[in-house]
Amino acid sequence: MANEPNMLEIFAIPYFAISGVLVWAIFQPFFKNVRYESLSPASITTTDLLATVFPICVVLSCSRWAIPVDGLTLAVQLIVLASALVYAAFALALGLFLLPAKTQVSFSKRMVVVALIAPFGLLLTIGWIGLLIWAAVYSMVYLAPTAVTIVASTIGLRTLGHWVCESDPTTVSSE
């Protein structure tokens, strides 16, 4: 019995390893030139608040698609709304940490970070296993396309991260 692997070694360690690789792959462009002692959140702007609407809409749309009409009681609707707001708050906080604190970033790049990269990077790094399990439940044939979709999403978010982090001659330093 002492030599048998427990469930942590079988499931949790590979999950954390792959999640760590996804975190590095998606968010690495934001941390390549930042010193860790200066890592602080950027100040919040109206753009950031406008960008949080997109992740909320995605969560509400997905829940409307996933929950049958018979199950839409008031309590379920309030739980879904609360979870969408909490998810958007976490995504906003992550987006503010990804944005440079001392540099002004253009409107479009700020929207991309707060509305796309932060929420979907967060969702992908936490929920990649759920996507694979969901695909395997329906059919093993869906497993390969889902894995390809996860890789393509990671590459797309990384490409957007590189675009946001490239130096823009129109941005002005606030120092």
Side-chain angles (χ1 to χ4, degrees), residues 61-68:
S61 297
C62 290
S63 64
R64 177 73 175 157
W65 172 72
I67 299 172

Side-chain angles (χ1 to χ4, degrees), residues 2 11 14 19 37 51 58 65 80 94 96 109 130 143 157 166 172:
F11 295 110
S19 293
E37 63 269 3
V58 168
W65 172 72
V80 167
L94 177 62
L96 291 177
K109 289 184 179 185
L143 203 55
L157 289 173
E166 72 184 11
V172 179

Side-chain angles (χ1 to χ4, degrees), residues 100-106 110 167-175:
K102 298 187 189 252
T103 307
Q104 187 178 7
V105 179
S106 68
R110 234 180 142 92
S167 61
D168 189 5
T170 60
T171 58
V172 179
S173 177
S174 61
E175 290 183 27

Side-chain angles (χ1 to χ4, degrees), residues 70-110:
D70 298 339
L72 286 177
T73 64
L74 180 62
V76 170
Q77 290 176 0
L78 290 175
I79 290 171
V80 167
L81 183 62
S83 63
L85 292 174
V86 167
Y87 171 65
F90 278 126
L92 176 63
L94 177 62
L96 291 177
F97 271 102
L98 292 176
L99 290 168
K102 298 187 189 252
T103 307
Q104 187 178 7
V105 179
S106 68
F107 173 79
S108 60
K109 289 184 179 185
R110 234 180 142 92

